[in-house]
């Protein structure tokens, strides 16, 4: 394929993904047709099928362009043996909340993924993706909490899996509630204090 054609194809793909973000956000994923996205992008339905096999494939490609806050928060090197990873975890979770509040594209895609997607039959692949990411994040948190407890010489107040599930639900819930009304509270500042309180409650000051 000539270079110009490749560039044009890439530009069309990006235009479709940009359109998907905005139309999914305004209409919901299940309520959006591929034709809606094509019209918003100023292209044809055939162009969508050139790049994506179906709506779920388009949705996942849209998600792949943005690292979700909870994923990016935990994508750092394994902590050094014998070191307490908790300070790094707190910093990473604060960064995730900052990313949500400060980056419009992250906020838009996160809102689509959490508030605008219905797990109907045609979007089963989307549900599978969501669950896979969630399980990976919870497992990473579990390992960090266990190592921190070991380094500090304390016993967690609840089993590590429960503690990790609770922490994930807390941060995810903070972000989701902030998205519903960004004026209700300062996500990064209030969220950090809430996370500190939770960690103290499970025995990790």
């Amino acid at each position: 394929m000539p270079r110009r054609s490749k560039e044009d194809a890439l530009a069309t793909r990006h235009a479709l993904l940009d359109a998907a973000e905005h139309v999914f956000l305004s209409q919901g994923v299940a309520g959006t047709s591929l034709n809606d996205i094509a019209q918003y992008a100023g292209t044809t339905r055939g162009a969508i099928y050139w790049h994506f096999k179906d709506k779920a494939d388009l949705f996942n490609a849209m998600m792949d362009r943005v690292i979700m806050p909870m994923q990016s928060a935990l994508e750092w090197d394994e902590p050094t043996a014998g070191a307490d990873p908790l300070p790094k975890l707190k910093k990473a979770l604060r960064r995730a909340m900052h990313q949500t509040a400060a980056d419009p594209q992250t906020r838009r895609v996160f809102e689509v993924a959490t508030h605008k997607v219905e797990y109907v039959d045609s979007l089963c692949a989307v549900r599978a993706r969501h669950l896979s990411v969630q399980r990976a994040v919870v497992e990473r948190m579990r390992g960090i909490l266990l190592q921190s407890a070991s380094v500090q010489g304390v016993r967690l107040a609840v089993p590590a899996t429960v503690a990790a599930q609770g922490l994930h639900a807390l941060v995810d819930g903070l972000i989701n509630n902030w998205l519903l009304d960004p004026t209700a509270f300062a996500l990064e500042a209030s969220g950090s204090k809430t996370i500190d309180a939770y960690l103290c409650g499970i025995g990790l000051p």
Side-chain angles (χ1 to χ4, degrees):
M1 182 184 291
R3 180 178 176 182
R4 182 71 256 173
S5 297
K6 286 183 179 179
E7 291 174 352
D8 289 345
L10 186 60
T12 298
R13 178 182 173 87
H14 283 310
L16 290 168
L17 292 172
D18 289 341
E21 287 182 15
H22 290 280
V23 183
F24 284 156
L25 184 62
S26 64
Q27 298 180 191
V29 178
T32 296
S33 70
L34 294 180
N35 193 54
D36 292 334
I37 294 170
Q39 287 185 341
Y40 190 98
T43 185
T44 65
R45 185 184 172 96
I48 293 183
Y49 283 114
W50 175 263
H51 292 280
F52 311 102
K53 63 181 182 180
D54 54 26
K55 193 188 332 187
D57 188 37
L58 173 61
F59 179 94
N60 282 325
M62 180 197 73
M63 294 293 296
D64 286 339
R65 293 203 304 175
V66 177
I67 299 177
M68 287 292 92
M70 292 297 283
Q71 285 177 275
S72 64
L74 299 180
E75 287 186 351
W76 34 276
D77 295 336
E78 290 295 326
T80 307
D84 187 352
L86 198 62
K88 267 192 172 182
L89 175 62
K90 289 181 180 182
K91 184 177 180 180
L93 293 176
R94 183 166 191 141
R95 187 170 64 247
M97 292 184 289
H98 176 80
Q99 178 188 347
T100 303
D103 181 52
Q105 185 182 34
T106 296
R107 183 167 55 217
R108 188 164 56 243
V109 173
F110 192 92
E111 186 169 356
V112 168
T114 55
H115 294 166
K116 302 291 184 173
V117 60
E118 305 89 345
Y119 295 130
V120 294
D121 290 345
S122 61
L123 295 175
C124 284
V126 171
R127 180 178 184 275
R129 177 199 179 103
H130 193 161
L131 288 174
S132 176
V133 171
Q134 178 181 305
R135 288 166 183 155
V137 171
V138 168
E139 183 57 29
R140 182 76 195 278
M141 284 181 167
R142 177 182 176 277
I144 291 170
L145 296 178
L146 277 174
Q147 181 171 337
S148 181
S150 176
V151 171
Q152 293 191 43
V154 299
R155 183 185 180 90
L156 293 175
V158 293
T161 297
V162 174
Q165 289 168 337
L167 181 58
H168 178 273
L170 173 64
V171 180
D172 198 54
L174 282 166
I175 293 174
N176 272 289
N177 279 278
W178 181 84
L179 286 171
L180 289 172
D181 182 7
T183 66
F185 60 95
L187 178 59
E188 187 177 350
S190 297
S192 295
K193 291 178 182 178
T194 304
I195 290 168
D196 285 345
Y198 175 83
L199 293 171
C200 284
I202 62 171
L204 293 175

